[in-house]
Amino acid sequence: MANELPFEQPLVELRGKIEELKKFSTDKQIDFSDEIARLEQRYEQLESDLYKNLSVKQKMQLARHPQRPTTLDLIQHIFTDFIELHGDRLYGDDQAIVGGIGRLNGVPVTVVGHQKGKDTKDNISRHFGMPHPEGFRKGLRFMKQANKFKRPIITFIDTPGAYPGSAAEERGQGEAIARNLMEMASFGVPILCVVVGEGGSGGALALALGNRVFMLENAIYSVISPEGAASILYKDASKSMEAAEAMKITAEEVLKLGVIDEIIPEPKGGAHRDVAVQAEAIKRVLWTHLQELSKFAENELVEDRYNKFRQLGRFTTIQEGNPNHA
């Protein structure tokens, strides 16, 4: 196991004991097969129990795992004949957003997604997956082209949020996000969105206004990062876990709220354990829903998308003098 998280340490220790016993058995020519089998069975049970009952904190750690598959990783496994496109034709080529044209089971599609780095140098060049305005405009350029040529749009969401620096604000960060939402609402092609890691704030929503929105099992989706929420609500960023619990950011909670349409299972231990298996699970869901949405007329796709987001949210009214009335 590589890049283990703190809560996975018991598994690491038990696996170490098993490997040590196997080596000792081989070196000393002593049969420890029964003992090894018992330890393997214990390992499987511990692994099953651990990943079946993950806390919000543990799911956040998996969603932010440095080896979690990125948009480019998933593109490589899901699509064929992919051609990456660059630039927003206005300012520059923001590497925090990647996209291009490929085929999903032979069907031409446009793919856009956030892109985090694989190491420190890569992360710095990609702003840790936090786009500037030119990144959102770059993605929008690809999506408008897709709408023009009647290609379905598939987006992958994995960002802590839009880049918060002064340069981004000067170049119109809020306007860029708002324009993406406005334009995506009007497109007459199917839009399928997958939250693969972090879905943070408007930076995530700018690529997530789709007919269908999915989340990986251990992904998170929130209106603000837990750290940001804690800083605002509790004046203490160290209370991020308390904020995360209150915000209901896990896939199960977000599904209950009706914000997403389906949860895509992950391999045991997280998406990074087997990228090919994870990509195949995403591909199956995308293909199923793309076939369904392909039967819709352009105006029906727009109406379907409008109704989906119009129905989000719940409220309760209480009449004066009758607190039990809702």
Side-chain angles (χ1 to χ4, degrees):
M1 296 174 70
N3 292 292
E4 299 86 0
L5 297 169
F7 72 88
E8 296 175 309
Q9 198 57 38
L11 286 175
V12 176
E13 293 174 358
L14 184 54
R15 174 52 61 189
K17 291 178 182 178
I18 293 170
E19 296 304 324
E20 187 177 322
L21 188 56
K22 285 181 177 179
K23 185 176 185 301
F24 185 79
S25 176
T26 302
D27 292 345
K28 301 298 182 181
Q29 297 296 305
I30 302 174
D31 184 11
F32 286 115
S33 57
D34 290 342
E35 289 81 356
I36 292 171
R38 282 196 293 271
L39 286 174
E40 292 279 10
Q41 186 176 8
R42 182 181 166 192
Y43 180 90
E44 289 178 9
Q45 186 61 50
L46 178 61
E47 185 181 47
S48 177
D49 292 342
L50 180 65
Y51 293 119
K52 188 168 59 178
N53 302 293
L54 293 173
S55 66
V56 175
K57 179 179 180 179
Q58 290 165 342
K59 289 199 171 190
M60 281 180 57
Q61 291 174 332
L62 283 173
R64 295 171 170 176
H65 197 286
Q67 296 304 315
R68 195 166 180 85
T70 65
T71 292
L72 289 176
D73 293 330
L74 295 171
I75 286 173
Q76 180 182 354
H77 286 86
I78 296 173
F79 306 98
T80 56
D81 303 321
F82 179 75
I83 301 172
E84 186 175 356
L85 304 176
H86 297 275
D88 69 339
R89 299 294 188 270
L90 291 170
Y91 183 85
D93 184 27
D94 188 347
Q95 295 185 61
I97 294 282
V98 296
I101 305 167
R103 295 180 185 272
L104 177 64
N105 288 338
V107 176
V109 296
T110 288
V111 188
V112 182
H114 301 95
Q115 179 67 27
K116 291 181 177 178
K118 289 293 189 179
D119 52 39
T120 302
K121 182 179 179 181
D122 194 19
N123 259 318
I124 290 172
S125 67
R126 297 189 185 277
H127 312 298
F128 294 85
M130 295 184 287
H132 284 67
E134 55 269 24
F136 295 119
R137 291 168 184 147
K138 172 184 178 180
L140 180 59
R141 182 172 76 84
F142 301 163
M143 290 188 283
K144 290 174 75 172
Q145 183 193 74
N147 187 57
K148 177 179 179 179
F149 292 102
K150 310 305 177 189
R151 287 193 299 268
I153 297 167
I154 295 170
T155 70
F156 294 112
I157 292 96
D158 186 15
T159 180
Y163 193 80
S166 59
E169 294 298 330
E170 289 169 357
R171 297 202 289 273
Q173 188 72 287
E175 187 275 341
I177 293 172
R179 183 167 296 277
N180 273 35
L181 300 178
M182 180 183 72
E183 296 279 5
M184 290 179 77
S186 68
F187 289 156
V189 296
I191 303 177
L192 302 171
C193 311
V194 188
V195 183
V196 296
E198 291 184 87
S201 192
L205 189 59
L207 295 186
L209 206 152
N211 295 91
R212 301 290 182 269
V213 182
F214 314 108
M215 281 181 72
L216 296 194
E217 182 181 354
N218 296 314
I220 57 176
Y221 197 16
S222 59
V223 70
I224 187 174
S225 70
E227 292 81 5
S231 297
I232 294 170
L233 297 177
Y234 308 123
K235 311 301 181 187
D236 185 356
S238 67
K239 293 185 177 181
S240 59
M241 288 305 106
E242 188 176 338
E245 292 278 0
M247 288 194 298
K248 311 294 184 185
I249 65 175
T250 64
E252 292 82 1
E253 294 291 351
V254 176
L255 181 64
K256 289 178 186 176
L257 293 170
V259 175
I260 63 170
D261 299 283
E262 188 175 333
I263 298 172
I264 302 175
E266 295 188 24
K268 189 178 292 183
H272 60 287
R273 296 290 182 207
D274 196 326
V275 179
V277 168
Q278 183 64 80
E280 187 59 35
I282 296 172
K283 185 177 182 178
R284 283 196 299 269
V285 171
L286 290 174
W287 182 242
T288 298
H289 286 270
L290 180 57
Q291 287 180 300
E292 175 193 336
L293 291 170
S294 295
K295 300 173 184 177
F296 287 32
E298 290 185 23
N299 64 309
E300 291 175 327
L301 287 166
V302 174
E303 185 177 0
D304 173 79
R305 203 176 304 125
Y306 172 83
N307 289 335
K308 173 181 175 58
F309 283 86
R310 190 70 178 85
Q311 291 168 12
L312 291 182
R314 299 290 184 271
F315 64 90
T316 300
T317 58
I318 301 176
Q319 288 186 348
E320 187 176 354
N322 185 8
N324 295 320
H325 178 80

